[in-house]
Amino acid sequence: MHPLPPVSPPASLETALAAVESHLADVGALLLQGDAPALERCAPLLRQAALDFSRALESRPASAPALAPEWTARIRAVRSQLAMQREQLARLAALTERQVASLLPPDQGVSTYGNGSPAGQGMRGSAARIYRSQS
């Protein structure tokens, strides 16, 4: 018996991969623009599209023929772009962290208005500290 030739996947798989590619392009453009609010809105759409595509691939029957080589190339390109965007986000987060550290004093375990003593002792020569986020 001869193996079945690679075929194009069904339209639902094509639609799912096209959605991932589209959202990936959108996120890439937003990263270049530095539009954080738009990126926050678009990133979950990319994540959902990637999940949908992954589920569509998993639901293919084991007896389904192999994907065509151009499909394999598209999937590898998506994987590569996702990895690059992840690295860009990590670099951007590190840069932002350094910028914030240069603007705000480091946390030295000091309360907002001095040494944490009870109210009534005032500021007694200590500078006010920025509140530390509890999240």
Side-chain angles (χ1 to χ4, degrees), residues 31 83-99:
L31 278 170
M84 284 191 309
Q85 286 183 1
R86 207 172 309 136
E87 288 177 21
Q88 285 177 317
L89 283 171
R91 286 187 190 115
L92 187 58
L95 176 63
T96 303
E97 192 173 307
R98 282 193 296 263
Q99 289 173 338

Side-chain angles (χ1 to χ4, degrees), residues 2-16:
H2 298 284
L4 294 172
V7 296
S8 294
S12 62
L13 204 54
E14 169 64 36
T15 302

